[in-house]
Amino acid sequence: MTLSVTTDNDHDTNTAEELDPEENIESVDDETEQDVDKTADGEHEGGGSNRGRRRLRLGAAAAIVIVGLAGSGFLGWQLWQERQIDRAGQEAQKAAVAYAEILTSIDSTKVDENFAQVLDGSTGEFKDMYSQSSMQLRQLLIDNKATAHGVVLDSAVQSATRDKVVVLLFVDQSVSNANVPDPRVDRSRIKMTMENIDNSWRASKVELP
């Protein structure tokens, strides 16, 4: 039988190997460095992610502001357009009322003056038509000593743009001549198209619907 003898030196050597402090310290240091590196990497990744989210939020906020400004700008422009059209309608309606009374009034002693006023307030199609018929009408009015006086009872804008407005007018016209000395009242409805020519509203079309 063989006996194994363990000496104190062998026991000390084994204990020293198991409890080598330098080796244990190095092992702990390595693990600590790995943990620190992982934490640093995690913080770096987290920081990049946070910065990305912040950029996204800032981008979204900027987009909302831009859309809001564009929307308010469009609404402002639309409101300005509507006001311009409303103003055009009011101005054209006022001009149409005044012109309708000129058009439906005549004095056989001032025929040329009346015709000049009618032509001055007209344009386009209506001006051409009136110019062509005025010479024949002039002599007829003088021969019959005709007089007429028109009064606009009511008016309304049918449609409007910044440069063209259609106005409906209700007119009472008292007419007399050599054969019928007592005035007769005729009530008529006039549809008048007004156009803005050189900042002045003129009648381009006159209809009796």
Side-chain angles (χ1 to χ4, degrees):
M1 181 174 68
T2 305
L3 294 175
S4 176
V5 178
T6 303
T7 65
D8 291 338
N9 289 336
D10 291 337
H11 179 74
D12 293 340
T13 301
N14 290 337
T15 304
E17 289 176 355
E18 290 175 1
L19 301 175
D20 187 349
E22 292 182 0
E23 185 176 341
N24 289 338
I25 290 171
E26 288 178 359
S27 176
V28 170
D29 289 343
D30 290 342
E31 290 177 359
T32 303
E33 288 177 2
Q34 289 176 3
D35 291 342
V36 170
D37 291 341
K38 288 179 181 179
T39 302
D41 290 341
E43 290 178 353
H44 179 73
E45 291 175 2
S49 176
N50 289 335
R51 282 195 295 272
R53 283 196 292 270
R54 280 197 297 271
R55 288 195 190 101
L56 250 119
R57 284 196 294 269
L58 288 172
I64 291 171
V65 170
I66 291 170
V67 170
L69 290 173
S72 61
F74 174 76
L75 290 175
W77 175 84
Q78 192 175 40
L79 181 61
W80 179 83
Q81 284 283 94
E82 290 175 358
R83 287 178 177 172
Q84 291 294 310
I85 292 172
D86 288 343
R87 181 180 176 183
Q90 292 171 5
E91 292 178 351
Q93 182 179 5
K94 183 178 178 180
V97 169
Y99 187 72
E101 293 185 350
I102 291 173
L103 185 63
T104 56
S105 300
I106 193 75
D107 185 344
S108 58
T109 63
K110 300 178 180 179
V111 172
D112 292 335
E113 184 180 333
N114 294 150
F115 282 178
Q117 289 176 332
V118 171
L119 291 174
D120 187 55
S122 61
T123 188
E125 177 186 337
F126 181 70
K127 186 172 186 176
D128 293 340
M129 182 192 71
Y130 194 86
S131 297
Q132 293 171 6
S133 62
S134 61
M135 292 307 296
Q136 295 177 349
L137 182 62
R138 177 182 182 278
Q139 194 58 45
L140 185 65
L141 292 170
I142 293 174
D143 292 344
N144 286 277
K145 297 180 181 179
T147 61
H149 180 69
V151 177
V152 175
L153 301 177
D154 199 5
S155 66
V157 174
Q158 184 182 56
S159 62
T161 65
R162 290 179 62 186
D163 299 317
K164 182 180 287 188
V165 179
V166 178
V167 183
L168 300 178
L169 306 112
F170 296 92
V171 183
D172 270 1
Q173 184 186 38
S174 60
V175 181
S176 64
N177 54 50
N179 296 324
V180 185
D182 294 330
R184 182 187 74 252
V185 177
D186 292 332
R187 182 162 293 178
S188 57
R189 181 175 176 233
I190 299 175
K191 182 179 179 180
M192 192 177 294
T193 301
M194 306 295 290
E195 292 189 25
N196 192 340
I197 308 296
D198 297 329
N199 294 321
S200 178
W201 288 99
R202 303 172 186 270
S204 63
K205 194 173 184 179
V206 177
E207 304 170 86
L208 298 173

